[in-house]
Each structure stands twice: as C-alpha cells, then as structure tokens.
Amino acid sequence: MSELTENVPAYDSDIVVIGAGAAGLMTAIHAARAGHLRVVALDGAPRIGIKILVAGGGRCNVTHHVVDERDYAGSTPAAIRRVLSRFSVADCVAFFNQLGVTFKQEDTGKLFPTTDDAHTVLNALLQAARDSGVDLRWPIRVQSITPLAQGGFEVAGPWGVLRARAIALCSGGKSLPKSGSDGLGLELVKTLGHSVTRHVIPSLVPLVSDAQHWARTLSGLAVEAEIRVVSGTGRHIISSINSMLFTHFGFSGPAVLDMSRHLMMERTRDPDASLQLCFLPNLRHDLPKGPKHNAKLSCSLDEADTWLLDSKAQTVLSRLRERLPERLAKTLLESAGIPTDRSAKQIDRERRRSLAQLLCAAPAHIVGDRGFSHAEVTAGGVPLNELNVSTLQSRMCPGLFMAGEILDVDGRIGGFNFQWAWASGFVAGISIAKYLDS
Ligand SMILES: Cc1cc2nc3c(=O)[nH]c(=O)nc-3n(C[C@H](O)[C@H](O)[C@H](O)COP(=O)(O)OP(=O)(O)OC[C@H]3O[C@@H](n4cnc5c(N)ncnc54)[C@H](O)[C@@H]3O)c2cc1C
C-alpha cells in the first residue's frame, strides 16, 4: 500500500444520517439533492417513520398555516426564528406538493393531507429519498460515533461500522420510545463534546391529578377552558384557552397538553408551581385560542361571583348550565357543598365565593405526568447555541450536523413540531452538502 493510500481513510459514504424520522428524511433528501454525494440514512427502528404514521391520530398534522418562534419553547426565540425563516410554511407546502401531497386547512389552522392519511406523507418522503439516491437502511441502530483523526466519523453498532466524511444526527428525543426514539442520540452527542439541557422532560403530555380529585369522576368529558400555570407565589406564568379533556387519571386535551411542559419545567425550579382550570374562559370577551404569556386572565374571582349573582331567581345549576356541561356543573356544586336547587341569593357568601373560585381558578392538583410513552414531544435537548444556526453544524465537532427533536426546541400542538423537523432538516441537509463541496 502506498503512503498516500494509508493516510486517506476509506469512506463508505460521504454522509451518514443517523435517524430517518421526519428530520432525518428531510436532511437526507436535501443533502442528496444538492449533488453527487453518497448519502446513507440509518434508522434503528424495525419500522420506518412510525411517528409520522401515528401523528395527528393517523392523519399527520404536517404543519400550521402560520408558524413563528412564539409557537415554541426551549432555546432562544431568535435562534429558533433563524432556522424557521429558512423554510417557511409556504416552502413546506410547495415541497410536499412537488411530491404529490396536497393539503387541506382546518379551522384551527392545522394542515393535513387531503387524503386524511399519514401514509401519504410517509410514502412521499420515502419515494423522494429513493428518487434523490438516498441509501435508506433499517433496522440499523448506531451505538457509537467516533471522530476520525483524518476527518470524518466512524459510526458503529452490532451490525458493523460505516465511515463517512460528515454525519447528521437526527435521532429525535425521548418521546414515544417504542418508535425508536429512546434518547440514545442524546447520549451519543455528549461523547462528541456537546451538552444536553439539565432537564429533558416529556412535553405535550397528559397530566395526572391527585387520586381524590373530583375531576377523575368526569372521565370522557371535554370542555373549553383556560388552563393556567401559576408559580408557588401565585404569579401567572402562562395560560392557554382551548379544549381540555377529563380522563380517568386526570387531564388531557390540547389546552392541557400545551401547558404540560410549562408546568413541569417550572416545577424543576419551583416545586410549588401549580395548574389552575378556568371554566368561564369567554366570560369577559371572546379571547383568541392558544398559549398566552400575559397576565390578563379571562375571568377573575369577582367577575365569576358577579356572574353568579346576576342569575337572580334562577337556580345556580341552571345558571352554570348556560356555560358548562351538566356533569361538570353538578360536580362543581357538589365540590362547593351547594345543593342544586338553590339560587345564588340563597347561598351564603362563603360558599358562593368558593364556587366562583372553582369556576375561575380550580386547582388541578397535578401529581405528575404520563411520561415519555404518552408524550408527543421532548422538552430539552442540545442547546442551539452549541450549533451555528445558519448551518446547524456543531461548534464543537466539525462535520457533525443536527436537526429535529434532538435539539432543545419543542412546539405547541398544531403541526409546529413537524414544521421544526422539516425546517431544521432542510437547513442541515443543504448545509452538510455545501460543507463537503467546499
Ligand atoms: C403520538 C404522536 C403524535 C404526534 N403528532 C404530531 C402532529 O400531528 N404534528 C406535529 O407537528 N407533530 C406531532 N408529533 C411530534 C412529531 O412527531 C415529532 O416532533 C417529530 O417526529 C420529530 O422528528 P425527528 O425526526 O426529530 O424525531 P423522530 O421522529 O423521533 O425520529 C428519530 C428517528 O431516529 C431513530 N433513532 C434514534 N436513535 C437512533 C440510533 N442510535 N441509531 C439509529 N436510529 C436512531 C428513531 O428510530 C427514529 O426513527 C407527534 C408525536 C407523537 C409521539
């Protein structure tokens, strides 16, 4: 062997993409489309694209008609905006349209494929990957990544080794571990010099109430409510008006899921942070849906009390039924110790105020969440300030790129998490190709 050959490592591929979920497929497609690079995408799961298939109840909420950095939490808004701005909702729609996927927009602003079938989205991505020459292999789980002295990386597992000039780590977070995203990528990235946020917790996750909470008796009931996260000292942190669902374990539904990461992350700093439920969200005026950071509550204790008193000779039950389902109305009355046949004027002030309190700020008594197996996304991950946000290349390890949920970015319900996966995958894909071309 000549000296020259000895010094040049044999690369099996130009690029290895680790993880072929939404972000990994997007990265691989755009890296392969950019030129004549050999792109291998590996996925450890026995079935490819499970999360795309289960998303949106099997319909896949691909994106939202308006997306900006305020729809996300995690790394800084400015950094998130930089990435999102490179691949807009219009770019996303055009990209999928080219693959033959058309969309319909629901009243909520969510975009679904017109087929109402997530297979349409996954099949289009897999076809695009094949058409652009991506070599897709599974189940191939990467268990180690070693930078090579001469440049590039060796990725390895029980299946063997692969050497590549550059890699994209798109291994997701820890949500729905049976889909293959069990957090191994977060361990691998630490071996390459990166850090991971101190807290990596489930997000968009149902919340568990105290076993004695009256809410558990309402399992199956859905209502419109304002869900508030409040600090231990009673300071309003964030709230969301949307539908919520009572369950046999506690609470679920969009408003609760959206607030779950804020409550659980707040509790890492302030164990007394709590969740409040307001069942008169539109008493004052019709407020827009979705998370709000301002402290303007949709209904105060005094307003709820005045609303009760305005009912005149009406029974409180019939007053509550104007805005609440009967089951909830009866449960709140029982909880406040008020018989259903009384009018507001017949109730002593203390009981009436305690009912008003339940209507506008009922304590949810949350004791935990349902964990990563029931979470749609992961809060926490690799901080964006450890990457160049224009390219999503690592600042610590040249030739390493990242995209998707492995990064410290999580969105609210509505297609925002996929939009992050598409946008960051696009940036990582074109950037890794440019990096190798230069
Ligand atoms: C039930 C559910 C419903 C959802 N619905 C929606 C929705 O409708 N709209 C929306 O916007 N978002 C939704 N989400 C969130 C969305 O699915 C994720 O944010 C998105 O899929 C993240 O993409 P990703 O590619 O970064 O990670 P993932 O989709 O988690 O993909 C990571 C891939 O990497 C592979 N992998 C991990 N480690 C390794 C390794 N060591 N070696 C090889 N491969 C590895 C995994 O097998 C996996 O396939 C939903 C999530 C869940 C769980």
Side-chain angles (χ1 to χ4, degrees), residues 19 22-23 43-44 51 55-56 61 140 142 171-172 180-181 376 404-405 415 417-418:
D43 201 289
K51 253 190 218 178
N61 175 198
I140 301 274
V142 173
S171 49
S181 313
E376 288 195 13
E405 206 175 302
N417 286 299
F418 275 135

Side-chain angles (χ1 to χ4, degrees), residues 84-103:
L84 291 175
S85 67
R86 300 280 298 286
F87 192 79
S88 65
V89 174
D91 293 332
C92 172
V93 169
F95 168 75
F96 278 103
N97 284 171
Q98 275 171 10
L99 306 185
V101 182
T102 51
F103 295 106

Side-chain angles (χ1 to χ4, degrees), residues 17-25 42-52 54-57 59-63 110 112 140-144 159 169-177 179-185 188 204 372-378 403-407 412-422 424:
V17 177
I18 302 166
L25 287 170
L42 308 176
D43 201 289
R47 276 188 71 194
I48 207 95
I50 288 285
K51 253 190 218 178
I52 294 174
V54 299
R59 295 195 302 139
C60 192
N61 175 198
V62 171
T63 187
K110 296 177 180 178
F112 290 90
I140 301 274
R141 187 166 156 88
V142 173
Q143 291 188 333
S144 68
W159 43 270
L169 191 52
C170 306
S171 49
K174 297 172 101 172
S175 55
L176 204 66
S179 70
S181 313
D182 57 1
L184 177 57
L188 293 178
L204 301 186
F372 281 111
S373 306
H374 296 269
E376 288 195 13
V377 71
T378 305
E405 206 175 302
I406 189 171
L407 298 169
R412 64 185 181 97
I413 279 208
F416 302 97
N417 286 299
F418 275 135
Q419 183 61 29
W420 172 255
W422 313 134
S424 57

Side-chain angles (χ1 to χ4, degrees), residues 15 21 33-34 36 55 90 111 118 120 132 152 171 192 203-204 206 214 300 339 362 393 403 411 417:
I15 299 166
R33 279 183 179 181
H36 1 272
L111 268 71
T120 314
S132 53
S171 49
L192 300 171
S203 180
L204 301 186
W214 49 262
S300 69
Q393 181 173 193
N417 286 299

